[in-house]
Amino acid sequence: MTARPFSAAPLVGPVALGVILMLVGDFMFALNDAMGKWLVASFSVGQVLLIRSLGAFLILGPLLLRQGKVALFSAERPGLQAMRALCATVDTGLFYAAVATMPLADVMTFYMAGPIYVAAISHVFLGEKVGWRRWVAIVVGFLGVVVALQPSSASLSLASLFAFVGSIAFAMTLVLARTLRRTSDATLVGWQTLTALIAGAVLSVTTWVTPSAFDLGALLLLGVVSCSAHLLITRSLKLAPASTLAPLQYTLLLWAAIFGLVFFGNLPTPQVLVGAVIIIVAGLFLFHRQKIVDDGVPPKTVPRTLH
């Protein structure tokens, strides 16, 4: 009788590993947002975009080289690629412009409505069927945004409008990414990072401030953290069902509130808290309904990238 070789069972299953990677990725995205808020206090949004993009290429460069330049420059539907890259750049730039004067949690509340916008935009531009229950959730979620926006002459600010428009650009980025689903993640991120680099170079011409060695390192690290977070979340979506991972994105709001309080002494206003609760409830219902309608197919509205 021959003994069979011992095969150790994995310590963590693929679904559990996917959950862990999603949580770590969300934490790193929140860290990226906090670092961005700190840096835009000393440097223009354009300069942050420029050097951040250079830092991201420290991670992206080897991935792009491995897949070859053909995959980058012969990508499907270049017009949509360019539109997606532009939307991603507008999303990131307006996010940093908003957090320059608004608490992190306030800005993140607007971006948490991204999946709600995606559901509505997909119906209009992609012809995806949206039932009445999901339309109710979309309307309720938008009301949550209105509550957080505080649209009165006394409270409506330019920064809150930046956050609102940026969140719409974020949703458009997600919709276009779904249209370009055959394009590799490295190519998608490569296009948007290159666009952000060019936009940052143009915008920083008249606002350039020579950074110290420490600040330069922090700006480059911002790109490394953001790109790493994206890769972690992309990997998590390959290991676990999106329906399992979708609710975890709301931990971003928790981390934003913690980082905002610890590093900047900011607390979200009561209106923003109420709006956030409404948006989260509506978003979770959308994920639930999408899972039912797709009969087990993972929802397609999970953000694969933030800022």
Side-chain angles (χ1 to χ4, degrees):
M1 181 176 178
T2 57
R4 288 180 296 180
F6 175 75
S7 177
L11 294 177
V12 180
V15 174
L17 181 58
V19 168
I20 292 171
L21 293 181
M22 174 62 79
L23 289 172
V24 174
D26 285 340
F27 170 81
M28 292 187 69
F29 269 131
L31 179 62
N32 160 78
D33 296 341
M35 291 174 64
K37 179 175 175 62
W38 171 59
L39 288 166
V40 292
S42 303
F43 303 98
S44 68
V45 171
Q47 190 168 348
V48 171
L49 281 176
L50 172 62
I51 304 179
R52 172 189 185 269
S53 300
L54 293 174
F57 274 117
L58 295 175
I59 302 293
L60 277 176
L63 298 177
L64 293 172
L65 287 174
R66 187 172 62 183
Q67 73 176 19
K69 63 181 181 181
V70 174
L72 181 63
F73 295 106
S74 300
E76 58 169 334
R77 308 175 75 175
L80 289 183
Q81 296 281 0
M83 185 183 300
R84 181 189 176 278
L86 179 61
C87 287
T89 300
V90 171
D91 150 34
T92 305
L94 290 180
F95 179 88
Y96 288 139
V99 294
T101 56
M102 285 179 67
L104 272 176
D106 290 27
V107 179
M108 189 57 66
T109 296
F110 290 101
Y111 278 80
M112 288 299 94
I116 294 169
Y117 301 146
V118 167
I121 294 171
S122 297
H123 173 77
V124 175
F125 291 100
L126 301 183
E128 295 184 0
K129 185 178 179 181
V130 177
W132 69 268
R133 294 178 182 85
R134 280 186 285 171
W135 273 118
V136 170
I138 290 169
V139 172
V140 170
F142 186 76
L143 289 176
V145 174
V146 172
V147 171
L149 192 61
Q150 305 172 53
S152 68
S153 58
S155 60
L156 189 62
S157 67
L158 184 60
S160 62
L161 288 177
F162 283 158
F164 176 66
V165 176
S167 66
I168 298 293
F170 167 59
M172 282 298 301
T173 302
L174 296 179
V175 171
L176 290 169
R178 287 166 53 182
T179 306
L180 300 167
R181 58 173 59 92
R182 291 187 297 173
T183 303
S184 71
D185 290 308
T187 298
L188 285 174
V189 181
W191 273 67
Q192 72 185 54
T193 304
L194 182 61
T195 303
L197 188 150
I198 295 171
V202 172
L203 292 173
S204 62
V205 168
T206 58
T207 58
W208 181 265
V209 175
T210 302
S212 65
F214 176 80
D215 288 336
L216 178 60
L219 287 162
L220 291 171
L221 182 61
L222 182 67
V224 172
V225 169
S226 175
C227 189
S228 299
H230 170 79
L231 294 175
L232 283 170
I233 288 181
T234 298
R235 182 61 179 169
S236 73
L237 288 166
K238 295 177 181 178
L239 294 171
S243 56
T244 299
L245 300 176
L248 300 179
Q249 69 172 296
Y250 294 111
T251 60
L252 281 164
L253 194 55
L254 173 63
W255 286 119
I258 292 173
F259 287 150
L261 176 61
V262 172
F263 296 114
F264 307 106
N266 297 143
L267 279 173
T269 63
Q271 294 93 331
V272 168
L273 288 175
V274 173
V277 171
I278 296 173
I279 290 168
I280 289 173
V281 171
L284 291 175
F285 180 79
L286 274 174
F287 290 130
H288 171 68
R289 287 301 305 171
Q290 183 75 48
K291 182 180 179 181
I292 292 175
V293 170
D294 288 347
D295 193 24
V297 177
K300 306 181 186 70
T301 55
V302 181
R304 295 173 68 86
T305 177
L306 285 166
H307 326 307

